Amino acid sequence: MPAPANPASPLTAPAIINAFTSHGLELPAPTVFDTIASTNDEALVQASAGAPEWTVVVADRQSAGRGRLSRSWETPAGRGLLFSVILRPNPAWPAASLGWIPLIAGLATSRACGAHDFACRLKWPNDVVIDAAAYDGSPGPRKLAGILAERRGDAVVVGVGINVAHAQAELPIPAATSLALEGSGCDRAQLLAQCLQVWGELWNRFRLGGGDADSSGIRSEYLAESLTIGRRVRVDLGGGAPLVGEAVDIDHEGRLVVDGPFGLRTVSAGDVTHLRH
Ligand code: BT5
């Protein structure tokens, strides 16, 4: 049975433009869909056609929402905040800066969601999670939002999916949560504007720092909000034996550094599980 619409949290172009205005955001007009296959796919097309930086594509529902590595992102209509942003990093920036683009999006999403009164943390690379063990003693982090960054020429499209109004039964995995389940009601258009405001501030600092996560101060801020660093982790690399060790750092390229019997290993992509011991 399809989920009902969410009139308490309209995700229409007028509601979004009002929210942009109330947050002082001067952005290109967003493209807003009731249903689309994937906001990332649409933003990639718009990026190829020359759409400017901070063009935003928003949908109430995706019929083929994508995660990393061909996985899916599932959200019933009216429940999530699903959007993609076109960024145009300076081609003169060092290659290392590209790795930080999705991490910056995660930091911004975490801070915007965290403004709704509970502690969000970051699980490398860029899952926004609730630290369940610290929050209510239940095991494992609960995933609130996911991020998918994809390059198209000089542009990077960053897609963000945030669980806003889902009941537990509407989430595809038990280790997921929503703002509503954590006790926070929220208007999706306002949350979108909050995300873009925080993200824009971080992006400006990154830009002024020449795309350097260290000199912009972003790396140290990300590390402080990381739930992964200092933990024993298993990293599945998509083939072969997983790495098991302690997550000790995120380097200047945004890669995870794991310390184990193998010495220090640097991982640029993989799935992390936080281990208890
Ligand atoms: C992600 O991938 O977490 C990136 C998700 C990005 C989604 C946004 S929505 C707007 C934009 N347009 C798109 O098409 N995509 C982006 P990954 O780390 O691979 O996690 C995917 C896994 O998360 C799935 O295999 C499920 O296990 C789980 N999952 C799927 N839907 C979820 C949800 N709503 N909440 C929590 N977990 C979910």
Side-chain angles (χ1 to χ4, degrees):
M1 190 173 69
N6 189 347
S9 183
L11 207 52
T12 58
I16 290 168
I17 289 165
N18 277 342
F20 283 5
T21 306
S22 66
H23 284 75
L25 294 171
E26 291 177 18
L27 302 180
T31 322
V32 185
F33 295 87
D34 282 340
T35 299
I36 194 172
S38 154
T39 57
N40 261 40
D41 290 348
E42 170 65 20
L44 286 165
V45 169
Q46 293 195 17
S48 297
E53 186 161 73
W54 294 106
T55 296
V56 181
V57 177
V58 191
D60 192 54
R61 177 177 170 269
Q62 295 181 129
S63 54
R66 296 190 285 110
R68 296 175 301 140
L69 307 170
S70 311
R71 292 185 289 229
S72 62
W73 187 258
E74 293 162 37
T75 280
R79 297 295 191 255
L81 175 57
L82 311 166
F83 66 101
S84 300
V85 175
I86 298 174
L87 295 175
R88 295 196 176 273
N90 186 331
W93 286 353
S97 61
L98 287 178
W100 274 92
I101 291 174
L103 276 60
I104 291 171
L107 186 56
T109 306
S110 173
R111 288 181 174 176
C113 292
H116 291 263
D117 270 354
F118 49 81
C120 292
R121 303 286 297 278
L122 291 156
K123 176 167 168 284
W124 187 88
N126 40 41
D127 283 356
V128 177
V129 298
I130 305 294
D131 180 4
Y135 196 52
D136 60 15
S138 57
R142 294 195 283 268
K143 183 164 174 172
L144 181 68
I147 283 153
L148 173 67
E150 298 176 294
R151 274 182 85 177
R152 177 66 54 93
D154 282 349
V156 178
V157 164
V158 188
V160 180
I162 306 176
N163 299 327
V164 176
H166 304 58
Q168 193 70 55
E170 293 174 316
L171 289 163
I173 53 171
T177 190
S178 69
L179 289 168
L181 285 167
E182 301 298 333
S184 169
C186 122
D187 178 296
R188 289 178 297 164
Q190 294 292 328
L191 180 61
L192 172 62
Q194 282 157 3
C195 284
L196 294 172
Q197 189 175 48
V198 180
W199 193 350
E201 286 163 10
L202 289 170
W203 187 249
N204 267 342
R205 283 173 45 199
F206 192 57
R207 201 168 45 80
L208 291 172
D212 184 310
D214 280 303
S215 64
S216 59
I218 285 172
R219 179 164 162 261
S220 61
E221 291 179 27
Y222 181 100
L223 286 170
E225 295 181 34
S226 167
L227 192 62
T228 302
I229 295 306
R231 299 216 169 218
R232 196 166 157 71
V233 294
R234 187 184 71 233
V235 188
D236 292 297
L237 302 165
L243 291 182
V244 176
E246 186 187 351
V248 291
D249 201 3
I250 291 161
D251 74 3
H252 70 293
E253 295 188 28
R255 300 174 303 185
L256 184 67
V257 184
V258 181
D259 189 7
F262 37 77
L264 287 179
R265 282 276 298 271
T266 304
V267 179
S268 57
D271 281 314
V272 169
T273 305
H274 294 170
L275 303 175
R276 295 193 130 206
H277 303 289

